[in-house]
Amino acid sequence: MIIMPFSYTTMARPKKSEHYVNNKDFLAALEQYAIDIERAKERGNPKPQIPRYIGECFLKIANHLSYKPNFVNYMFKDDMICDGIENCVRYIHNFNPEKSKNPFAYFTQIIYYAFLRRIQQEKKQLEIKNKILEKTNFDEVFDSNDLDAMNYSEYNSIKDAVHSKLRN
């Protein structure tokens, strides 16, 4: 039996992972879109529609950002993503390729702050909901007359959970 020496050249190298948004292509698409907007202004036409590629980049950035540990467990993650994309569309004209060649970072920041605003809005709504429950005497909502013995323990656990939330 002949033993061949181990060679690193025979092993397949792992393929370099590609980023989900190519910054150079994204920048080129934004620059072309800015040119299209200028042409439309000169001709007196309305603003052109945002190209599909740019929209896909917004969606990819928002989706990937939503999987970060600080955003992953929210029930309203879809609303956060939609808010992020909406803000990107709203502020696309503010991106200036002469100041920055990194549109990925620019739009990631826009989406990040849109996520934070959505979280704050949802927290305020939850506080309002809890105050309404507290002021309307939520015992009226929990009517125990129709409960049998099996459901009574479940009823009490739900009621205790509501009580503990109201105390906090």
Side-chain angles (χ1 to χ4, degrees):
M1 177 194 281
I2 300 174
I3 298 175
M4 298 293 289
F6 184 76
S7 173
Y8 286 103
T9 57
T10 59
M11 288 182 58
R13 291 188 180 167
K15 193 174 185 180
K16 193 175 185 181
S17 67
E18 233 177 89
H19 295 287
Y20 55 92
V21 174
N22 185 328
N23 213 14
K24 290 180 182 177
D25 294 344
F26 191 27
L27 178 62
L30 286 166
E31 288 172 338
Q32 182 59 47
Y33 180 64
I35 292 169
D36 293 345
I37 289 174
E38 284 302 314
R39 282 189 198 145
K41 277 184 185 176
E42 290 171 1
R43 296 178 184 158
N45 294 336
K47 269 187 182 179
Q49 188 175 15
I50 294 174
R52 184 175 192 84
Y53 177 74
I54 294 175
E56 288 172 356
C57 289
F58 292 160
L59 181 61
K60 287 177 183 177
I61 294 169
N63 276 325
H64 278 75
L65 189 61
S66 73
Y67 286 108
K68 295 290 183 193
N70 45 342
F71 300 124
V72 76
N73 289 324
Y74 288 105
M75 292 176 11
F76 43 87
K77 189 162 63 167
D78 291 338
D79 293 332
M80 291 166 44
I81 291 169
C82 289
D83 288 349
I85 294 169
E86 177 188 350
N87 284 355
C88 287
V89 169
R90 184 178 291 165
Y91 299 114
I92 191 171
H93 65 277
N94 288 348
F95 178 74
N96 186 352
E98 295 168 4
K99 287 184 179 179
S100 170
K101 299 291 183 194
N102 193 353
F104 177 81
Y106 179 80
F107 289 106
T108 299
Q109 283 295 103
I110 288 175
I111 294 169
Y112 177 83
Y113 286 110
F115 283 11
L116 294 181
R117 281 190 297 276
R118 171 56 70 172
I119 291 168
Q120 286 304 107
Q121 287 174 350
E122 293 294 333
K123 281 183 180 178
K124 284 180 186 174
Q125 288 299 315
L126 186 63
E127 287 175 17
I128 291 169
K129 190 188 320 180
N130 285 338
K131 285 180 182 176
I132 289 172
L133 270 176
E134 189 177 291
K135 290 187 190 273
T136 59
N137 194 5
F138 67 91
D139 285 331
E140 296 171 6
V141 176
F142 291 106
D143 184 20
S144 61
N145 295 337
D146 300 334
L147 295 175
D148 56 13
M150 292 289 281
N151 291 331
Y152 197 73
S153 65
E154 190 175 318
Y155 161 78
N156 280 334
S157 66
I158 293 171
K159 191 174 178 181
D160 290 342
V162 171
H163 270 293
S164 66
K165 288 212 185 255
L166 291 176
R167 284 187 212 123
N168 293 336

